């Protein structure tokens, strides 16, 4: 039965998704209040997707996010920090957290306003070697080494995910890139499309 209400879209479900972008309350919050909100995600038991794009997340708050991601209790599977003033030290902190994170599958770091060094980009690429769940990483990279590492490890993770779902021949599946060369975890072979 349809109650007349619009269908609940999963990416807007407040029980699993936290979207902060455009919040006037966040803009007026102190640094300590912002840090407390971020650190609360370490013990969160329901939210899996967090969007804090264009939310004044600087390197200090990126380090707070890194400490959350490094916690074994972290449930965040999708994190968006795009269009924020994060620079090299924030990226390196997030990269170091990936080694102990087992929940993140989607990380978005495009259009950062801070300067990110080649070393920080490569640290992020190298961190992916030990993170086997991440299949989507959206980041602007200038380093060819970082780009190569990202492609190698994300492809490995995506092929393992598809094999675990029983999607057959990984050799054929590995040749299905999406636009921009990133792998779409929702892609299915033609025989399995609904």
């Amino acid at each position: 039965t349809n109650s007349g209400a619009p269908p609940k879209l999963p990416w807007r479900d407040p029980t699993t998704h936290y979207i902060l972008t455009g919040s006037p309350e966040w803009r007026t919050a102190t640094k300590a209040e912002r840090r407390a909100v971020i650190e609360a995600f370490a013990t969160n038991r329901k939210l899996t997707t967090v969007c804090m794009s264009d939310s004044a997340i600087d390197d200090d708050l990126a380090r707070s996010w890194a400490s959350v991601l490094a916690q074994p209790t972290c449930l965040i599977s999708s994190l968006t920090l795009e269009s924020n003033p994060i620079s090299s030290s924030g990226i390196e902190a997030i990269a170091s957290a990936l080694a102990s994170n087992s929940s993140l599958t989607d990380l978005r770091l495009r259009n950062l306003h801070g300067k990110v060094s080649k070393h920080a980009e490569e640290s992020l690429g190298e961190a992916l070697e030990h993170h086997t769940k991440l299949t989507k990483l959206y980041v602007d990279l200038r380093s060819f080494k970082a780009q190569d590492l990202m492609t190698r490890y994300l492809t490995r993770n995506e092929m393992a995910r598809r094999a675990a779902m029983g999607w057959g021949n990984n050799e054929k599946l590995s040749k299905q890139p999406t636009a921009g060369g990133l792998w779409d975890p929702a892609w299915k072979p033609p025989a399995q499309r609904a």
Side-chain angles (χ1 to χ4, degrees), residues 27 39 43 101 119 129-131 145 147 159 179 184:
R27 296 282 180 189
E39 289 171 355
T43 55
N101 178 274
H119 179 266
E129 180 179 4
H130 305 291
H131 196 290
K145 179 181 178 183
Q147 291 173 19
M159 289 175 67
D184 179 6

Side-chain angles (χ1 to χ4, degrees), residues 18 20 26 30-44 50 52 55-69 71 74 76 79 81 84 86:
Y18 183 86
L20 185 70
W26 181 261
T30 66
K31 180 70 80 83
E33 291 169 332
R34 292 176 184 182
R35 188 177 299 110
V37 168
I38 292 170
E39 289 171 355
F41 285 104
T43 55
N44 143 67
V50 178
M52 289 189 169
S55 298
I57 304 295
D58 58 11
D59 288 332
D60 184 42
L61 294 176
R63 283 188 286 275
S64 294
W65 263 116
S67 69
V68 168
L69 294 173
Q71 296 296 318
C74 179
I76 304 300
L79 177 62
L81 298 176
N84 279 301
I86 300 172

Side-chain angles (χ1 to χ4, degrees), residues 83-96:
S83 302
N84 279 301
I86 300 172
S87 64
S88 297
S89 64
I91 292 296
E92 288 174 356
I94 290 170
S96 68

Side-chain angles (χ1 to χ4, degrees), residues 98-119:
L98 292 180
S100 55
N101 178 274
S102 61
S103 62
L104 205 59
T105 61
D106 183 342
L107 178 60
R108 298 167 188 258
L109 298 168
R110 283 192 173 152
N111 193 35
L112 298 179
H113 304 313
K115 290 191 176 196
V116 179
S117 69
K118 179 179 174 183
H119 179 266

